[in-house]
Amino acid sequence: MKFIRYEGKRGTDLGVMTRDESGVVSLRDVLPNKAFADMTRMIEEIRGDELTLLQLVPDGYDKYPVEKLENVRVLAPIEKPVHDVICIGVNYRAHGEETGVIREAKFDQPDPIFFGKRAIRILGSGDEVDFRSDIDPELDYEAELAVIIGKRCKDVAKEDAESVIFGYSVFNDYSSRKLQRQHVQWMRGKSLDTYTAMGPCIVYKSDVAFPPALHICSRLNGEARQDSNTDLLINDIPTLISTISAGLTLEPGDIIATGTPAGVGMGMDPPTYMEHGDTIECEIEGIGTLTNHIK
C-alpha cells in the first residue's frame, strides 16, 4: 500500500495508489468521516480498522472514484517535518571507506552517528533544488531509505522497533560539502533551503519484509552512481530506533534517514559534484524513484 500526497481535482489531497500505480484513490472517499489535515496527522490519527480498510483499496479500487496519476501532481508525502529530520552518518562501510572516515582494515560496528537536518520544506519528486552555488559550489547527492515513525514512543527495544514504524520512503540528503568541512558539525552543510527531498510515496510497513533488504541506487543525468542494498547498513533499523529513542521521544511522522551507500560525488577521484541543470534520481526497490532537477 502506497500513500501519496497530491494535487488533484479537489486540491491538495491524501490518497492510496492503485496496485498498477496508474491511479490514486482519495482517503476522503474511503474514509468519508475523516478529514486528515496532512500526512503527519493521518499517521497520528488513523486507527487499525481504518488501515485494514485502506489496505483493500489497491486491489478493490473499482469501488471508489479514481484519478489517473498522469492527471495529478504528486507532492512530498510530508512537506513540513514534525522535528528536524534525524539523519545517520557513515552507515554503509563502502561509503565510509570512500570518504576516508573508515580507514582501518578491521572495522567494528560503531555506535550510530546521529545528526539533525533542518528542513523548512521537504521537496517532492519533480520539484527543483535551488542550488546556492554562491554559498557552496560542492553540492552532493545521497540516496537513503527513510523510516517514518508511526506512534509516539520512547525507550524502544530492538525487538519492538517494527511496531513503532509506519512506513518507508526514498530520501535524498543533499549535502554542501564545503560547508560540512568548514563547520565540522554537519547540520549547516545539510540544511540549506530545498536541500531535502523525499518521495514519491510512503510504503506501508506491511508491504516490506523487516528489516528491509532493498536495492538502492542513484543516477545523475542518467549515469549510474550509487548501487547497493539496505541490508548492508552498519547499524540496522532496530539498532537505530532503539538507540535514538533511549531517553528521547519519537513522534508520529518523525523521519529517520538511515544513511547513504558508496558512490557519492565527494568519493570520486577527483570529486565530482552536481551543477546547475543536472537531474538526480534516487530509487529504492518497491518504493519508487525520487527525481529532482538542480536549478
Side-chain angles (χ1 to χ4, degrees):
M1 179 169 55
K2 293 184 175 182
F3 290 93
I4 64 170
R5 178 172 158 267
Y6 65 101
E7 285 184 359
K9 60 186 178 183
R10 292 184 288 192
T12 302
D13 212 344
L14 302 177
V16 175
M17 293 175 66
T18 59
R19 181 70 64 189
D20 62 5
E21 301 186 9
S22 66
V24 59
V25 173
S26 171
L27 265 60
R28 302 188 210 185
D29 294 321
V30 186
L31 304 172
N33 296 324
K34 290 286 187 178
F36 302 115
D38 53 32
M39 190 73 75
T40 299
R41 287 294 186 186
M42 188 275 288
I43 292 170
E44 182 177 9
E45 297 172 8
I46 198 163
R47 301 195 306 268
D49 57 337
E50 295 166 339
L51 273 169
T52 300
L53 181 60
L54 290 173
Q55 286 179 291
L56 301 175
V57 170
D59 292 319
Y61 60 84
D62 54 328
K63 299 177 183 178
Y64 308 102
V66 177
E67 283 193 75
K68 290 290 186 182
L69 211 62
E70 63 189 27
N71 296 331
V72 307
R73 180 185 172 215
V74 179
L75 306 171
I78 296 175
E79 183 180 49
K80 186 77 173 177
V82 181
H83 305 290
D84 286 354
V85 177
I86 301 168
C87 295
I88 317 301
V90 197
N91 206 22
Y92 288 81
R93 182 184 177 99
H95 175 58
E97 291 172 342
E98 73 174 352
T99 58
V101 176
I102 297 174
R103 297 184 176 87
E104 300 175 5
K106 182 179 179 181
F107 177 73
D108 294 328
Q109 292 186 355
D111 290 335
I113 300 170
F114 294 102
F115 63 92
K117 182 181 180 80
R118 178 177 171 82
I120 193 69
R121 180 174 74 91
I122 297 178
L123 300 184
S125 188
D127 289 341
E128 290 189 324
V129 176
D130 184 12
F131 178 21
R132 292 299 304 271
S133 55
D134 58 322
I135 297 175
D136 184 346
E138 299 178 3
L139 176 62
D140 213 345
Y141 52 86
E142 291 192 358
E144 308 195 15
L145 174 68
V147 175
I148 315 301
I149 296 299
K151 61 177 68 173
R152 186 181 175 89
C153 58
K154 183 178 178 179
D155 297 323
V156 180
K158 289 184 181 181
E159 57 268 26
D160 297 327
E162 187 180 17
S163 70
V164 306
I165 294 171
F166 180 80
Y168 307 94
S169 192
V170 184
F171 191 88
N172 194 338
D173 178 20
Y174 291 102
S175 303
S176 303
R177 299 304 191 190
K178 183 178 178 182
L179 288 180
Q180 277 190 271
R181 293 193 303 273
Q182 287 178 338
H183 291 266
V184 184
Q185 294 183 349
W186 296 345
M187 181 181 178
R188 176 156 170 72
K190 299 280 189 173
S191 301
L192 297 189
D193 291 350
T194 77
Y195 279 26
T196 306
M198 189 172 78
C201 65
I202 295 175
V203 176
Y204 188 58
K205 65 181 179 182
S206 64
D207 288 1
V208 179
F210 190 80
L214 305 173
H215 179 237
I216 179 171
C217 63
S218 65
R219 295 177 292 273
L220 183 61
N221 300 323
E223 176 189 344
R225 288 296 179 92
Q226 295 174 283
D227 189 358
S228 189
N229 195 289
T230 61
D231 66 357
L232 295 176
L233 294 175
I234 294 173
N235 288 289
D236 61 14
I237 291 170
T239 299
L240 298 178
I241 290 176
S242 177
T243 303
I244 193 66
S245 71
L248 186 156
T249 299
L250 299 175
E251 297 190 288
D254 270 336
I255 301 165
I256 301 176
T258 58
T260 199
V264 298
M266 73 175 294
M268 301 181 72
D269 186 15
T272 305
Y273 299 106
M274 292 187 290
E275 300 178 357
H276 296 282
D278 283 350
T279 297
I280 182 68
E281 300 169 279
C282 299
E283 182 176 1
I284 299 180
E285 174 189 359
I287 302 178
T289 303
L290 171 65
T291 303
N292 297 112
H293 182 73
I294 310 302
K295 187 171 74 172

